[in-house]
Amino acid sequence: MTTDSEPGFSRLADIEAPSGLAKVVVARVSRLAEERPPAWLATGAAVRVSPGRPSASPRWRLSDVAAAIIALAGLALVAVAWTQARPDATTWKTVFFPTLGGPFIARLPLALPAAVSLGLGMALYLAGLFAPLREHGTRRRG
Amino acid sequence: MNGVSPPDRERFEPGGAATTADQARGGDSDAVRAVRGGEVAAFGRLVERYQRRVFGLSLMLTRDPAAAEELAQDAFVRAFTHLDAYDAARPFYPWLATIAVRLSQNWLTQRARHESREGQPGAADAEAKGADPLTLLIADEESRRLWRWVAALPTGERAAAILYYRQELTVDDVARALGVSGGTVKTLLFRARRHLRRSVGGAGEAGDRT
């Protein structure tokens, strides 16, 4: 037995792990991945590689592109209608809503198709934009 | 603080470790990337690579082979479920060791609570009765004696010494694993060395007397 004054860790033999340890762990992990997959595995999205770094780049779907096109078309129509009609007081309709607790007055632009198109497009675009956030929230709650 | 300089690992672990560590780190990154990409089987490579170290660490902390096996399994499973929290820019093993240390600490706390409530004998009593778990796991007598000296260290010193000297973690990584400051780790290592020197010296004197 040596009596050197250092700990001598390099002389320590490795302790062997139990023979079936790796197999058991792999089996547990595989079962877990099938039955209760962790959130990062279920999404298949890029995972966080460093604290504070953004996790995943936004993905564009076909519906997002369609919504963007509709919104742009609506915007173009509004612009054209605005410049050509040169709106003044006569180009707006005044509507009364007595059910809202008084003479509520709303003024709608005459270029209604353009406004509808713009509104619909923007709504679809925003719905697509925030869809990943909604999915993430649902998954966390679930 | 007692003005301890950082322990010189080279005195204990000479040469060649850096290249191996770099290769392991590259392999770890590939395996982690594959697992994150959905290839769950790639996690088996990490288990194969680190099962011995994680089991050894858990065993040294708990001094209970059955608990160490269970805790090693749990450490790997927990690493898998929280793989999104692993920073791929850092080496994999210190992160895994941190999980293993925390699980072992929890186990020790629960056992101490259970023993104080039930009044059941612990591992120390089992060792006193001659049921040394290391006897079954280490065939070589000298290694077994060395391991026994390490196992006899107080928990904090034992964990710091194993992680730093045997498993080659940096002081910062050991500090992170134990949840203490770097200064505390250096103090723990200093005390562990002092205790081990006494143990080794005592054994030498006993050998000379016989």
Side-chain angles (χ1 to χ4, degrees), chain B residues 82-99:
Chain B
H82 294 92
L83 202 59
D84 56 332
Y86 163 60
D87 180 356
R90 304 180 62 83
F92 182 75
Y93 183 71
W95 182 71
L96 181 62
T98 303
I99 297 173

Side-chain angles (χ1 to χ4, degrees), chain A residues 3-7 9-16 18 21-22 24-26 28-29 32 40 47-49, chain B residues 11-12 36 47-48 51-52 55 73-74 76 80-81 84 87-88 142-143 146-147 165-166 197 200 204:
Chain A
T3 56
D4 64 355
S5 59
E6 300 300 345
F9 279 82
S10 58
R11 287 185 283 115
L12 284 172
D14 278 326
I15 297 175
E16 287 297 327
L21 180 64
V24 172
V25 171
V26 170
R28 278 182 66 180
V29 163
L32 192 71
W40 57 266
V47 291
R48 183 160 54 90
V49 294
Chain B
R11 283 182 294 169
F12 312 115
R36 284 174 166 176
V47 179
E48 288 286 349
Q51 59 171 335
R52 209 157 55 169
F55 174 72
Q73 283 182 27
D74 290 347
F76 281 113
F80 174 77
T81 52
D84 56 332
D87 180 356
E142 184 182 342
S143 284
L146 285 166
W147 272 122
Y165 288 115
R166 186 64 188 163
R197 277 193 202 108
V200 174

Side-chain angles (χ1 to χ4, degrees), chain B residues 26-36 39 42-43 45-46 49:
Chain B
D28 292 350
S29 302
D30 292 344
V32 169
R33 204 174 302 124
V35 176
R36 284 174 166 176
E39 192 188 330
F43 194 75
R45 295 208 296 269
L46 295 167
R49 189 171 298 150

